[in-house]
């Protein structure tokens, strides 16, 4: 019991730290976006998205280098991506005073590019299985992800940045930027990233210890608790944007964060470590679930270009169903995916 209370306190304090860090991040990114005259969708999809995805990047690098568990990092990022796609837009829409607004750029550029990102990452995993197969004793299909293969999704993210850059050329901002000092705002942005990483590290450690205390399988808390913990900055930033009537920035942050997570955060661990083993028997169904969730959000945004409260509730229900399914697979209640949970 004392351990539970201790780590509960750590989780509460860490949440407060992340909240503060995300507030600093939002302020700095808004002022920098105004100073450089960036459109709302670029601000949400690149500036805020990359910053708020720092916890996911740290998770992949640390789990691969320190613990030698690349699969744990992938599970956390896929779980984070599902949390971003289903929970964050739902919460943002529910706290917003009006239905969450979308536009054609979100639907036909951000959402569809994100679906391309999912497809490219799945293809990258497939190439690892085909060209670098690994022996398996438990029936799972495994392969070795190498640096050249990891560069494929990174190259696609470079194309994504180029497309976003083209949007900035057509945008003319009308904000008063005379009181904005870019060096100070960049410093504040860097400070916010440090604060967010410290807070999320506390949340992740709390989740790990809760798993040990309650005997929870590592895969389960990796794709749920750790994933949700690393998504808190995205949630806070998107909810704040929605409450201030900036629905486009709110949703763009979610899609941009997920694009960065899949195309940069997952390959980062491989690029640093050199190689990493990938369990395709787990990766394929997880990517399928992520694709389905993205299609659902895409269709909801396309209807009247808004996200209604009823649709927000539906997104939350879908996420709960996903959690129940993962729990049932992990504890052997269901066996729809034979290799889930993965063998140690």
């Amino acid at each position: 019991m004392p351990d539970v209370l201790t780590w509960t306190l750590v989780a509460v304090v860490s949440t407060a730290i992340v909240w503060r860090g995300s507030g600093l991040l939002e302020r700095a990114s808004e002022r920098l976006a105004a100073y450089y005259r960036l459109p709302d969708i670029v601000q949400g999809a690149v500036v805020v998205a990359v910053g708020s995805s720092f916890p996911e990047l740290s998770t992949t690098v640390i789990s691969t280098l320190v613990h030698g568990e690349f699969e744990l990092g992938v599970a956390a990022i896929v779980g984070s991506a599902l949390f971003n796609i289903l929970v964050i837009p739902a919460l943002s829409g529910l706290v917003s005073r009006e239905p969450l607004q979308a536009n054609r750029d979100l639907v036909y550029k951000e959402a569809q590019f994100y679906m391309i990102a999912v497809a490219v990452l799945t293809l990258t995993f497939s190439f690892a299985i085909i060209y670098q197969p690994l022996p398996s004793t438990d029936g799972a299909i495994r392969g070795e992800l190498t640096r050249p293969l990891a560069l494929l999704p990174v190259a696609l993210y470079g194309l994504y940045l180029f497309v976003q850059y083209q949007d900035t050329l057509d945008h003319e901002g009308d904000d008063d930027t005379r009181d904005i000092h870019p060096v100070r705002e960049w410093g504040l942005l860097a400070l916010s990233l440090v604060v967010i990483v410290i807070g999320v590290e506390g949340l992740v450690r709390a989740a790990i210890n809760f798993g040990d205390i309650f005997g929870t399988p590592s895969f389960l808390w990796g794709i749920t608790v750790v994933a949700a913990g690393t998504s808190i900055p995205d949630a806070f930033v998107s909810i704040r944007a929605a409450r201030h009537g900036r629905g486009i920035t709110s949703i763009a942050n979610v899609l941009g964060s997920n694009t960065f997570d899949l195309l940069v955060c997952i390959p980062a661990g491989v690029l640093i470590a050199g190689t990493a083993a990938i369990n395709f028997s787990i990766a394929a169904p997880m990517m399928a679930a992520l694709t389905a969730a993205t299609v659902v959000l895409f269709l909801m945004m396309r209807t009247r270009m808004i996200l209604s409260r009823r649709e927000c509730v539906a997104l939350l229900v879908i996420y709960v169903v996903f959690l129940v399914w993962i729990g049932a697979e992990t504890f052997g209640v269901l066996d729809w995916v034979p290799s889930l949970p993965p063998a140690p």
Side-chain angles (χ1 to χ4, degrees):
M1 184 62 70
D3 287 342
V4 174
L5 294 176
T6 299
W7 288 108
T8 299
L9 179 61
V10 170
V12 171
V13 173
S14 298
T15 301
I17 293 174
V18 172
W19 176 270
R20 179 58 178 167
S22 63
L24 295 174
L25 172 67
E26 182 187 21
R27 177 186 180 278
S29 63
E30 282 182 356
R31 292 173 69 82
L32 285 170
Y35 181 81
Y36 293 111
R37 304 187 184 280
L38 301 179
D40 284 349
I41 194 163
V42 175
Q43 177 194 351
V46 179
V47 181
V48 179
V50 172
S52 57
S53 290
F54 242 70
E56 286 91 335
L57 180 60
S58 302
T59 300
T60 308
V61 173
I62 292 172
S63 64
T64 304
L65 289 182
V66 178
H67 303 288
E69 294 191 20
F70 179 68
E71 287 182 2
L72 175 61
V74 174
I77 286 182
V78 172
S80 175
L82 281 163
F83 187 92
N84 289 352
I85 284 290
L86 297 174
V87 177
I88 294 179
L91 295 179
S92 299
L94 291 175
V95 303
S96 179
R97 297 178 180 86
E98 298 178 356
L100 209 59
Q101 293 288 332
N103 63 14
R104 290 186 177 275
D105 272 346
L106 276 176
V107 173
Y108 293 113
K109 187 182 73 173
E110 298 300 328
Q112 293 194 23
F113 199 99
Y114 175 58
M115 285 191 274
I116 294 173
V118 175
V120 167
L121 187 61
T122 305
L123 281 174
T124 302
F125 290 161
S126 301
F127 291 153
I129 304 304
I130 295 171
Y131 300 111
Q132 301 289 339
L134 292 175
S136 175
T137 58
D138 58 358
I141 303 173
R142 289 186 170 87
E144 188 175 61
L145 199 56
T146 60
R147 282 189 176 125
L149 287 176
L151 287 174
L152 294 176
V154 175
L156 181 62
Y157 192 75
L159 174 62
Y160 176 73
L161 292 180
F162 174 76
V163 172
Q164 298 290 10
Y165 171 72
Q166 295 302 306
D167 281 351
T168 66
L169 299 179
D170 302 328
H171 178 73
E172 295 183 3
D174 54 1
D175 297 321
D176 185 1
T177 62
R178 287 175 295 182
D179 64 334
I180 298 177
H181 303 283
V183 174
R184 185 179 65 188
E185 298 304 329
W186 278 112
L188 184 63
L189 183 68
L191 175 63
S192 70
L193 296 180
V194 174
V195 172
I196 287 173
V197 169
I198 292 172
V200 172
E201 172 66 12
L203 282 171
V204 170
R205 286 184 176 274
I208 291 173
N209 281 275
F210 283 140
D212 292 339
I213 292 169
F214 296 111
T216 308
S218 60
F219 178 83
L220 180 61
W221 56 256
I223 203 168
T224 55
V225 179
V226 175
T230 55
S231 293
I232 284 178
D234 293 304
F236 286 166
V237 169
S238 291
I239 289 171
R240 279 198 184 100
R243 287 182 63 85
H244 288 87
R246 293 183 287 111
I248 293 174
T249 301
S250 177
I251 301 177
N253 171 53
V254 168
L255 296 172
S257 291
N258 277 14
T259 300
F260 182 81
D261 289 349
L262 297 185
L263 298 182
V264 178
C265 292
I266 289 180
V270 181
L271 293 175
I272 294 173
T275 61
I278 184 73
N279 185 340
F280 196 68
S281 298
I282 298 297
M286 292 300 101
M287 299 304 285
L290 187 54
T291 301
T294 305
V295 170
V296 169
L297 180 63
F298 171 81
L299 292 175
M300 288 182 177
M301 287 194 304
R302 184 59 187 89
T303 56
R304 298 179 295 159
M305 292 296 177
I306 64 171
L307 201 60
S308 67
R309 291 185 178 274
R310 182 176 298 178
E311 289 170 333
C312 291
V313 172
L315 290 175
L316 290 177
V317 170
I318 293 172
Y319 185 71
V320 171
V321 170
F322 170 75
L323 293 182
V324 171
W325 170 62
I326 286 293
E329 289 277 359
T330 301
F331 292 108
V333 178
L334 294 176
D335 193 26
W336 295 348
V337 181
S339 296
L340 189 64

